[in-house]
Amino acid sequence: MTAQLIDGNALAKKIRAEVAGRTQALRARGIVPALSIILVGEDPASQVYTRHKVNDSTETGLQATLERYPDSMTEAELLARIDTLNEDPAVHGILVQLPLPRHMNAHKVIETISPSKDVDGFHVASAGALMVGQPGFWPCTPYGCMKMLEDIGYDLKGRHAVVIGRSNIVGKPMALMLLQKNATVTICHSATQDLKSLTLQADVIVAAVGKRNVLTADMVKPGAVVIDVGMNRNDEGKLCGDVDFDAVKNVAGWITPVPGGVGPMTRAMLLVNTLHAAEALSVER
Ligand code: GUN
């Protein structure tokens, strides 16, 4: 292996310790950073994810509440609940776990969350703030990727970053964050022609497609930084990313593993956003 590993578990641990310290300082002033998580329905993966989010929060000293509602909840009921949480001064962050049941309009639901409590960074106001470089919540996954690049001391200025994937949650905000650090950014997607010719030019590659082996060793310039956002299962049922890790690690300069790379960082950045939400509100008082 030539590539250096970017250890998401270790960095997330460091970030959680920082959040814990700042949370303690807020608590000393009588402010308890609080996250409300809403889960509608019985999606098994969502149940696991939300449980992790609650555990991460409480272990860090944040207060997290998981509200569970049945599939039969109406959209109007959910919007009313979000309105109540928006108005509650003791709640700093609101997260509605996705996917929502099919009878609900996820966009409408997200837009109902107050932008000042949008710790997922999914609201159009958060996306707009990122686009114009104004303060706002950044979506946790690309935010975590940026922290990893910062941690290895990588200067993005003038570098060519190729983002594979154009989702609103990862690909698009990732590209904007890289651009903000003065990288030259290319966004690739399912209609991109000759992906390999583009990735071979990249100093940084972020793979965020949700498909195994999207990035193979022949597509990577020697020494490039490779960040793998994918979460897939291989034929043996083992967790794997979008990158052919075993081969790409012999070409890349830096690489994130799956598991233990971007995943823990995504979880850590939710805590950071929630802390920021509480700190921002505490300043306003
Ligand atoms: N479902 C899968 N990932 C996420 C996430 O980061 N936030 C929310 N709200 N739902 C998700």
Side-chain angles (χ1 to χ4, degrees):
M1 171 155 172
T2 57
Q4 295 193 60
L5 209 63
I6 308 179
D7 185 344
N9 280 325
L11 181 56
K13 191 173 168 189
K14 202 165 90 182
I15 290 172
R16 285 197 302 273
E18 285 165 16
V19 171
R22 281 164 67 177
T23 299
Q24 222 171 12
L26 276 184
R27 280 180 174 263
R29 292 165 48 204
I31 299 153
V32 181
L35 170 65
S36 280
I37 300 170
I38 296 179
L39 172 58
V40 186
E42 302 294 329
D43 182 80
S46 291
Q47 291 180 43
V48 174
Y49 292 149
T50 52
R51 202 167 54 236
H52 283 153
K53 288 171 186 177
V54 171
N55 290 344
D56 287 351
S57 301
T58 46
E59 279 168 28
T60 319
L62 306 167
Q63 191 179 81
T65 313
L66 175 61
E67 299 184 13
R68 292 200 55 179
Y69 298 102
D71 244 342
S72 57
M73 183 185 216
T74 66
E75 185 182 274
E77 285 168 338
L78 176 57
L79 298 184
R81 182 60 195 144
I82 293 171
D83 277 335
T84 304
L85 293 170
N86 282 340
E87 296 303 317
D88 186 343
V91 172
H92 304 105
I94 302 169
L95 183 150
V96 178
Q97 187 67 23
L98 302 175
L100 284 165
R102 290 160 67 95
H103 64 275
M104 291 187 183
N105 177 338
H107 176 73
K108 194 169 162 190
V109 169
I110 290 166
E111 292 310 296
T112 304
I113 297 170
S114 164
S116 66
K117 301 189 178 188
D118 174 39
V119 288
D120 253 335
F122 293 172
H123 195 287
V124 163
S126 302
L130 170 60
M131 177 147 177
V132 297
Q134 288 296 308
F137 294 110
W138 283 7
C140 301
T141 298
Y143 192 6
C145 295
M146 292 304 286
K147 282 281 169 199
M148 290 172 129
L149 289 167
E150 188 185 304
D151 190 60
I152 62 167
Y154 194 84
D155 185 4
L156 284 159
K157 186 176 174 187
R159 300 290 183 174
H160 187 188
V162 169
V163 179
I164 315 174
R166 56 171 157 182
S167 70
N168 290 335
I169 293 173
V170 184
K172 286 185 208 167
M174 185 79 250
L176 289 168
M177 290 174 201
L178 292 162
L179 187 62
Q180 204 175 93
K181 292 289 180 191
N182 298 313
T184 300
V185 183
T186 301
I187 306 177
C188 300
H189 47 79
S190 50
T192 295
Q193 292 181 13
D194 199 1
L195 176 64
K196 180 177 167 179
S197 72
L198 294 163
T199 57
L200 274 174
Q201 297 174 39
D203 301 303
V204 176
I205 303 171
V206 181
V209 176
K211 220 167 89 184
R212 279 164 56 195
N213 295 335
V214 159
L215 192 75
T216 47
D218 58 316
M219 298 168 75
V220 177
K221 182 167 80 175
V225 180
V226 174
I227 297 183
D228 192 350
V229 178
M231 284 265 258
N232 313 298
R233 298 263 168 202
N234 67 14
D235 292 336
E236 291 86 50
K238 249 182 68 187
L239 204 61
C240 65
D242 290 354
V243 175
D244 179 7
F245 180 87
D246 287 336
V248 172
K249 72 175 194 286
N250 296 317
V251 183
W254 293 89
I255 191 166
T256 66
V258 177
V262 174
M265 288 302 295
T266 297
R267 286 166 59 178
M269 299 326 288
L270 175 64
L271 307 176
V272 170
N273 278 349
T274 305
L275 174 71
H276 285 165
E279 287 177 340
L281 284 183
S282 75
V283 171
E284 274 172 25
R285 276 184 201 166

